[in-house]
Amino acid sequence: MKIALFLTAIAGASAFAPVNQPSRASSQLNAGVLDGVRGVGPETAGKIFDPLDLAQWAPVDFLRKAELSNGRSAMLATVGWLFPKLVGTFAGPIDTVDPILAASKADPQWWAQFLIFCGTIEAIKYRAELEGKSYTGEVDKDAAIDWAKQWGKLDKSAREDIAMKELKNGRLAMIGIASFAANYFIPGSVPGLTEGF
């Protein structure tokens, strides 16, 4: 049943795919826009990974901000998924290590506090960006949020190194949390993960 639903979702998504394939001219044009963007490495075959050619539809800096924000969220989600399974839970109303069941057991007041916290962080990032600061690891700008006050003490090489590590760890975490969720809802779909992990 789950496989049928998955295949139906894929078939339905294909209805929104463009009929005409993007031309080589637009890909070559976008290649100039993508030059110098952080994230190129051996895992992307030495070029920017943009298989859907999204850079033609949205500004590259917006896409990078979205990638970093989603990567940071995925890193936290991965820790949240693994911590109860490996360490256990704290005393309280949530007594399960099942992450989906735990999320459904959480008090609505907790979710409201969580949303307010996330909104506050987004507001801080927005204000800092208006002040000329960066939350995407731009080496020539001050950090929007720097709790440890270390970003300003680093040279440009060290800043670039940290920004690249964050980007790659975020990418890995996005793949990781997606695999955990896929294995949870479709047991056995991820090689190496046991059912219920």
Side-chain angles (χ1 to χ4, degrees):
M1 177 68 175
K2 292 178 183 176
I3 293 174
L5 288 172
F6 178 73
L7 293 174
T8 304
I10 290 175
S14 66
F16 299 102
V19 176
N20 297 330
Q21 295 296 324
S23 67
R24 288 190 177 265
S26 71
S27 296
Q28 290 171 352
L29 177 67
N30 291 336
V33 172
L34 297 174
D35 286 343
V37 174
R38 182 183 301 125
V40 174
E43 68 277 1
T44 60
K47 59 184 178 179
I48 292 293
F49 183 72
D50 187 15
L52 301 177
D53 208 17
L54 295 176
Q56 72 175 332
W57 302 108
V60 174
D61 62 332
F62 173 79
L63 296 174
R64 176 47 46 92
K65 289 175 186 176
E67 181 180 22
L68 279 170
S69 293
N70 288 321
R72 290 168 181 163
S73 297
M75 286 187 270
L76 289 171
T78 301
V79 170
W81 192 287
L82 292 175
F83 187 86
K85 292 181 180 294
L86 300 176
V87 177
T89 61
F90 299 110
I94 299 176
D95 57 356
T96 180
V97 296
D98 182 321
I100 304 300
L101 186 58
S104 67
K105 281 186 168 184
D107 187 355
Q109 181 181 0
W110 182 90
W111 284 109
Q113 292 171 357
F114 177 72
L115 291 174
I116 290 169
F117 173 75
C118 292
T120 302
I121 295 297
E122 289 299 317
I124 290 169
K125 287 174 18 182
Y126 180 72
R127 184 189 68 207
E129 192 171 30
L130 292 177
E131 294 171 354
K133 296 179 181 178
S134 170
Y135 66 90
T136 59
E138 295 173 71
V139 296
D140 57 341
K141 292 184 178 181
D142 290 336
I145 300 174
D146 185 12
W147 306 114
K149 305 290 185 214
Q150 295 299 311
W151 187 256
K153 297 176 183 177
L154 301 173
D155 64 356
K156 287 191 176 190
S157 174
R159 287 181 180 190
E160 183 64 36
D161 185 51
I162 287 175
M164 183 68 88
K165 286 178 183 176
E166 180 187 28
L167 179 65
K168 290 187 177 188
N169 285 329
R171 288 174 177 171
L172 182 61
M174 287 187 277
I175 293 169
I177 197 67
S179 68
F180 293 158
N183 191 63
Y184 182 88
F185 291 108
I186 309 170
S189 64
V190 179
L193 288 182
T194 60
E195 185 174 336
F197 188 78

